[in-house]
Amino acid sequence: MQIALITGVTGQDGSYLAELLIEKGYEVHGIIRRSSSFNTGRILHLFNDIHLEHNNLHLHYGDMSDDSTLERLITKIEPDEIYNLAAQSHVRVSFDIPLYTSDVVAMGTIRLLEAIRNCTAEKNIRYYQASSSEMFGAVQEIPQNELTPFHPRSPYACAKVFSHYQTINYRESYGMHASNGILFNHESPRRGETFVTRKITRGIARILAGKDKKIYLGNLDAKRDWGYAKDYVEAMWLMLQQDEPDDYVIATGKTWSVKEFLEKAFSLVDLSWEKHVEIDSRYYRPAEVDILIGDSKKAKNKLNWSSKTNFDELIRIMLIADLEMENIKHNL
């Protein structure tokens, strides 16, 4: 039985990845942060009872700021694969807490890489690093591929660039099987409610339920390459099944604006978005990323991976989940 360790297991990607690996027969271990409230909502369905027990899923307390715990867990678990998905992942928030973001995202990665290096004299652990399309920032070319220069425009993106190059450095310096997945925006019903796509679908459901009247958003003209998170975690797994480690862009190859997302989502429930959306300057970034669109030909050719869920279907999946959360009947 293969053993995998996932940091950020309680997040959107971590929960989908845990599902995928369990389906493939893995023993999965996840690192979670101690909290005064339960933060396991996205993975509760994977457990048999309230005691959070599952034959193939085990949770451990830890933190990306604690290198000794990371090293202890790796020594204890002896994983075959490690997926580093932990992050303070909200780009706008990273401007407010740049030091914390940098510590968790950038220094957290090097703590983990060092822990792997110190624990694996005999076992060649395969490592996946969650890089981000935000690293391209003020894009140097359209579309962006693995060779496109980075121009990060947020503390989060800068930290991700550091992590990306450290992963390459450890691969080249120590022969580690370490790969970067440069994932473009990927969404789902498990997306955090402060992210713009989920803010929209959740907001629509709350408007229809009579709980809210408005959704407050920032830049409607920003364009993103949006895919479905459940499709994208498969690409993570595929990278670690290759004989040689490498770096891959994972994207749909299409771009849509926030405004287009709004229009499509509201049209599904026959509402006018203009009546329910207000612009709030608090949600603008100090430095904006205007357009992201990825070229994933390399992933198609080498991993045989491509996005399965189109933009319209993604919006429908998310909206259905949020409507059902509010017990709203629908015919979507």
Side-chain angles (χ1 to χ4, degrees):
M1 180 180 287
Q2 291 283 94
I3 300 174
L5 175 62
I6 303 172
T7 71
V9 70
T10 59
Q12 169 188 251
D13 293 6
S15 65
Y16 282 121
L17 180 61
E19 283 180 2
L20 176 70
L21 295 178
I22 289 171
E23 288 172 3
K24 292 183 178 296
Y26 279 65
E27 177 183 306
V28 177
H29 295 258
I31 298 177
I32 63 172
R33 287 176 296 169
R34 173 68 177 89
S35 173
S36 59
S37 59
F38 287 113
N39 61 348
T40 54
R42 293 184 179 95
I43 56 175
L44 276 176
H45 64 287
L46 295 174
F47 294 99
N48 294 328
D49 55 41
I50 60 171
H51 300 295
L52 299 186
E53 293 178 355
H54 187 292
N55 290 337
N56 292 330
L57 179 57
H58 311 272
L59 300 181
H60 309 268
Y61 286 118
D63 195 283
M64 296 303 288
S65 64
D66 184 355
D67 54 328
S68 63
T69 298
L70 294 174
E71 189 164 326
R72 175 177 56 80
L73 287 174
I74 293 171
T75 301
K76 175 184 176 181
I77 296 165
E78 295 186 329
D80 300 287
E81 300 171 0
I82 293 179
Y83 297 84
N84 184 23
L85 310 183
Q88 187 302 100
S89 60
H90 198 288
V91 177
R92 177 62 190 84
V93 171
S94 77
F95 286 98
D96 299 326
I97 48 173
L99 295 181
Y100 173 75
T101 300
S102 299
D103 185 53
V104 171
V105 177
M107 296 308 298
T109 296
I110 203 165
R111 290 185 189 107
L112 187 55
L113 287 167
E114 271 294 281
I116 294 170
R117 187 170 74 90
N118 293 335
C119 295
T120 57
E122 298 179 0
K123 190 171 187 177
N124 185 24
I125 294 174
R126 298 191 171 198
Y127 175 79
Y128 170 83
Q129 171 61 31
S131 290
S132 169
S133 60
E134 287 286 335
M135 300 188 304
F136 295 117
V139 298
Q140 307 299 294
E141 61 182 359
I142 298 176
Q144 298 88 51
N145 61 36
E146 294 80 5
L147 299 178
T148 301
F150 298 135
H151 189 140
R153 302 200 76 195
S154 67
Y156 168 79
C158 291
K160 280 294 186 181
V161 170
F162 177 92
S163 297
H164 181 90
Y165 280 123
Q166 286 293 355
T167 300
I168 294 172
N169 181 48
Y170 274 70
R171 179 171 74 211
E172 295 178 349
S173 299
Y174 305 115
M176 289 176 58
H177 193 295
S179 297
N180 286 297
I182 309 173
L183 272 60
F184 280 61
N185 292 64
H186 45 290
E187 319 298 313
S188 77
R190 300 180 194 174
R191 188 61 142 153
E193 294 181 20
T194 60
F195 290 84
V196 66
T197 54
R198 185 76 196 289
K199 206 172 178 183
I200 292 168
T201 60
R202 186 85 181 98
I204 290 172
R206 289 181 62 83
I207 289 168
L208 291 174
K211 295 180 177 179
D212 290 331
K213 293 183 179 180
K214 298 285 186 178
I215 303 173
Y216 298 91
L217 301 174
N219 181 13
L220 302 188
D221 295 322
K223 294 183 176 181
R224 296 292 184 266
D225 184 327
W226 276 304
Y228 185 25
K230 195 170 184 177
D231 294 343
Y232 283 38
V233 298
E234 182 184 19
M236 300 177 187
W237 175 77
L238 286 168
M239 288 178 211
L240 298 199
Q241 310 318 304
Q242 306 306 303
D243 291 335
E244 298 296 329
D246 208 341
D247 308 320
Y248 298 89
V249 163
I250 303 299
T252 71
K254 297 180 180 179
T255 190
W256 306 85
S257 68
V258 175
K259 183 178 178 180
E260 288 171 311
F261 193 105
L262 270 175
E263 291 171 342
K264 287 179 177 290
F266 272 85
S267 68
L268 286 173
V269 293
D270 296 321
L271 289 178
S272 170
W273 70 266
E274 292 92 343
K275 294 180 180 179
H276 298 284
V277 173
E278 288 193 11
I279 304 302
D280 189 328
S281 61
R282 292 177 299 172
Y283 298 118
Y284 277 87
R285 302 179 185 180
E288 184 58 80
V289 174
D290 296 319
I291 181 170
L292 293 172
I293 176 169
D295 178 358
S296 56
K297 291 188 183 72
K298 182 177 177 180
K300 173 64 175 177
N301 294 334
K302 295 187 70 174
L303 305 178
N304 194 29
W305 180 90
S306 59
S307 177
K308 300 180 180 70
T309 308
N310 65 36
F311 186 62
D312 288 359
E313 180 63 13
L314 171 63
I315 296 173
R316 194 181 72 86
I317 290 170
M318 294 179 66
L319 189 53
I320 286 174
D322 281 323
L323 291 175
E324 291 178 351
M325 185 179 293
E326 295 292 342
N327 295 314
I328 296 173
K329 294 181 179 180
H330 61 84
N331 295 308
L332 300 185

